[in-house]
Amino acid sequence: MWITRKVEFSASHTCYNQALTEAENAALYGADANPHGHGHNYTLEVTLEGHPDPVTGMVVDLQAVKQILEREVVDPMDHRHLNHEVPPFDTTVPTTENLAVEIWRRLQPHFAAGPGRLHAVRLYETDDLFVEYEGR
């Protein structure tokens, strides 16, 4: 069984690879290579996998999940410029793909022992663009 918790946060970023020239970055990332950055209202869905506890009837304590998401994702990323304020994005291009992997990395240790194991993170950059990462 899967259960999903959703949170939202706002952050700005610049898609710019320091190893490339300004022209190469512009060709690769287009307007997203703007050095001043641009922002998104991200929606994060975190899916956990497990079986309902016979006593509680729950796969996992969703209040505890919310606290982990707030501490590991929302608090450090909300209203931040990812490139300047959130490692590893000072050295890694903060694409939606890389952001989803980093969120998985931050969350996975909290769910490794169960009862709900991390199944996937789905990160929406816009209403019609999302990345789903299953950490394999």
Side-chain angles (χ1 to χ4, degrees), residues 12-106:
S12 61
H13 69 140
T14 300
C15 290
Y16 192 92
N17 185 326
Q18 299 290 337
L20 303 176
T21 67
E22 192 167 322
E24 290 170 323
N25 275 292
L28 182 60
Y29 298 114
D32 290 350
N34 177 345
H36 301 292
H38 63 282
H40 296 285
N41 294 317
Y42 292 96
T43 299
L44 173 64
E45 296 176 353
V46 175
T47 302
L48 304 170
E49 181 177 11
H51 299 285
D53 180 273
V55 175
T56 67
M58 299 185 302
V59 171
V60 65
D61 178 350
L62 290 174
Q63 195 60 23
V65 173
K66 182 178 180 182
Q67 291 172 354
I68 292 167
L69 295 177
E70 292 286 334
R71 184 177 63 248
E72 297 296 332
V73 179
V74 177
D75 291 347
M77 295 184 189
D78 191 35
H79 290 91
R80 303 277 190 258
H81 192 296
L82 298 174
N83 303 73
H84 303 295
E85 299 178 77
V86 182
F89 301 115
D90 53 340
T91 58
T92 301
V93 180
T95 60
T96 309
E97 296 91 333
N98 284 338
L99 192 51
V101 171
E102 175 61 15
I103 290 169
W104 175 281
R105 187 194 67 74
R106 290 172 182 233

